[in-house]
Amino acid sequence: MSIRYGLLALLDHGPKYGSQLRAEFESRTGATWPLNIGQVYTTLGRLERDTLIEPAGERDGKQQRYRITEAGRRELAEWYRQPVDRTHPSRDELAIKLAMAVGTQGVDVAGIIQAQRRHTLKAMQDYTRLKAQALADGGPESGEEIAWLLVLEQLIFSAEAEARWLDHCESRLLRLAARRPARPLTGTEPDDNGAEENVHHAQHTDHRDHHHITGGSTA
């Protein structure tokens, strides 16, 4: 739905070709969410079907310019007014992966958390570097530069939240392991004590990295 309304918002500034809409959408978001041209024209076709946009003039070869209609402006205004619905969140692959891994024999859940934390902290470090570049030389001036900075900061905050959630997941697994009744080990049963030691080691290593990286990420 964000692409639908993103294109409507761009058309509210004036008629545009599909290729122009694609370029402007990616420019506003710093190419964080790249679009393929087929996706753009599919969305434009649905917007035209819903009478939210209409052709603007004759075709220029294979290209058609579009403009927003009054119905489109009303729907766009409503989109701006309404908060984004968080009661039906999109499916998060990481949450699904951990939910499936927990309780599955032979899956190293602690290893999944450790690998994901390293990846998330690296991404946060990269976003923070891009933010520093965006703030250099007096900071953003144009609307597109400000839009890109806002997107960057959202990515940084999201990465920080994910790192904290991974810490929480790791702590919860440790507490569950500590409450689990001791069982005699056989040659075919997993060594819970060894697994817990691995989680403790991963937690110590990654907490140290997390503290080092996040110390100034949101400054």
Side-chain angles (χ1 to χ4, degrees):
M1 294 297 287
S2 58
I3 297 173
R4 171 186 176 93
Y5 290 108
L7 298 185
L8 271 181
L10 293 173
L11 286 171
D12 195 36
H13 292 279
K16 293 178 177 64
Y17 295 106
S19 56
Q20 291 175 301
L21 290 167
R22 177 192 182 190
E24 289 189 24
F25 184 94
E26 293 185 352
S27 177
R28 287 288 186 98
T29 61
T32 304
W33 301 289
L35 300 178
N36 64 62
I37 196 64
Q39 190 176 19
V40 171
Y41 280 110
T42 297
T43 305
L44 289 174
R46 291 170 179 164
L47 290 170
E48 184 179 9
R49 177 200 64 195
D50 297 339
T51 69
L52 302 178
I53 65 172
E54 62 187 9
E58 298 296 324
R59 282 183 174 272
D60 181 6
K62 293 184 178 180
Q63 293 197 84
Q64 173 68 62
R65 279 204 312 169
Y66 290 92
R67 60 174 169 245
I68 193 170
T69 64
E70 285 305 314
R73 287 194 175 90
R74 288 193 297 272
E75 181 148 336
L76 179 63
E78 182 65 18
W79 180 63
Y80 281 134
R81 282 194 297 268
Q82 293 296 324
V84 175
D85 184 11
R86 298 301 188 193
T87 59
H88 297 88
S90 58
R91 295 177 182 88
D92 183 89
E93 183 178 356
L94 176 57
I96 293 172
K97 181 188 291 189
L98 287 179
M100 298 301 158
V102 171
T104 301
Q105 188 173 4
V107 176
D108 182 7
V109 182
I112 293 173
I113 293 174
Q114 183 180 6
Q116 184 64 46
R117 186 190 289 111
R118 285 197 298 267
H119 174 81
T120 300
L121 294 179
K122 175 61 168 58
M124 184 165 60
Q125 196 174 40
D126 292 340
Y127 296 145
T128 302
R129 184 172 59 252
L130 289 172
K131 177 184 175 181
Q133 294 172 1
L135 292 174
D137 301 323
E141 296 180 357
S142 70
E144 288 186 356
E145 290 173 339
I146 294 172
W148 169 222
L149 180 61
L150 292 176
V151 169
L152 265 179
E153 290 174 333
Q154 190 273 338
L155 292 171
I156 292 170
F157 293 142
S158 293
E160 287 179 337
E162 182 169 283
R164 290 196 299 271
W165 177 68
L166 288 167
D167 289 344
H168 168 77
C169 291
E170 193 171 60
S171 297
R172 183 172 292 282
L173 288 174
L174 284 170
R175 291 195 299 271
L176 290 173
R179 293 202 303 267
R180 187 178 302 163
R183 294 177 299 171
L185 295 176
T186 68
T188 59
E189 290 182 325
D191 185 344
D192 290 340
N193 291 330
E196 185 171 343
E197 287 178 5
N198 289 338
V199 173
H200 273 295
H201 176 72
Q203 186 180 39
H204 174 75
T205 301
D206 288 329
H207 270 285
R208 181 181 57 200
D209 294 341
H210 179 53
H211 176 74
H212 174 72
I213 292 174
T214 59
S217 63
T218 56

